Amino acid sequence: MSASGTRNGWVIWLSLVLGLLLSVSPLPEFMQIGRPLWVALILTYWLLELPHRVGMTTAWVLGLAQDVLFGTLLGQHALILTLVAFLVLSLHQRLRMFPLWQQSMVLMVVLGLAQLVQLWLNALTGSRPPTLAFILPAVVSALLWPWLCGFLRGVHRRLNVN
């Protein structure tokens, strides 16, 4: 068996499924508006760490699963997660060099753009959220990025996922 083979790929999928579960877990009413974008954050981590294993196809499949889970227009979350994956993969080399606080700032912009596309798609379908509140999940997600990144990096190293 070669040492360069893929190992523990199930960890990637388990973490992404956990992100799907966290995205539908109940929160108190006052926290609903700032719900973190768990799936996009976990997907971003694996895109940065293992771009040869996780890519835009993974983002598309995850987005379709999220569409089915939320009961939204089929392809809506798939488009948004594919956009996030494209932007993260485009900035991949630069993002890996940045410290975590700078990664958080870049991710806030990327996730803010994703939320803007979400707002646009919601406006097209007739269900518009409140005005500037659509950007709050991107801010909360950017604040959570250093802790999530540290946790996933520990799992990644401990289980030797490659």
Side-chain angles (χ1 to χ4, degrees), residues 66-159:
Q66 211 171 8
D67 289 330
V68 170
L69 195 60
F70 290 144
T72 58
L73 184 66
L74 194 62
Q76 181 175 346
H77 287 97
L79 174 68
I80 291 165
L81 283 179
T82 305
L83 173 68
V84 168
F86 173 74
L87 292 172
V88 168
L89 287 173
S90 297
L91 300 169
H92 172 260
Q93 295 298 327
R94 290 184 204 134
L95 274 174
R96 286 183 56 99
M97 290 182 2
F98 290 164
L100 283 176
W101 70 270
Q102 283 181 332
Q103 286 180 5
S104 292
M105 294 298 114
V106 172
L107 283 178
M108 185 168 57
V109 172
V110 168
L111 296 175
L113 286 171
Q115 287 298 100
L116 193 62
V117 171
Q118 177 87 17
L119 178 71
W120 177 64
L121 289 172
N122 284 342
L124 287 176
T125 59
S127 58
R128 280 188 80 162
T131 342
L132 286 176
F134 76 93
I135 203 72
L136 195 56
V139 174
V140 172
S141 298
L143 291 173
L144 285 174
W145 174 250
W147 287 279
L148 182 69
C149 188
F151 173 74
L152 287 176
R153 187 171 288 141
V155 170
H156 181 190
R157 288 184 180 155
R158 178 179 279 269
L159 296 177

Side-chain angles (χ1 to χ4, degrees), residues 15-25 38-39 62 65-66 69:
S15 65
L16 292 170
V17 168
L18 182 65
L20 284 170
L21 291 175
L22 284 172
S23 66
V24 295
S25 64
W38 291 110
V39 176
L62 256 158
Q66 211 171 8
L69 195 60

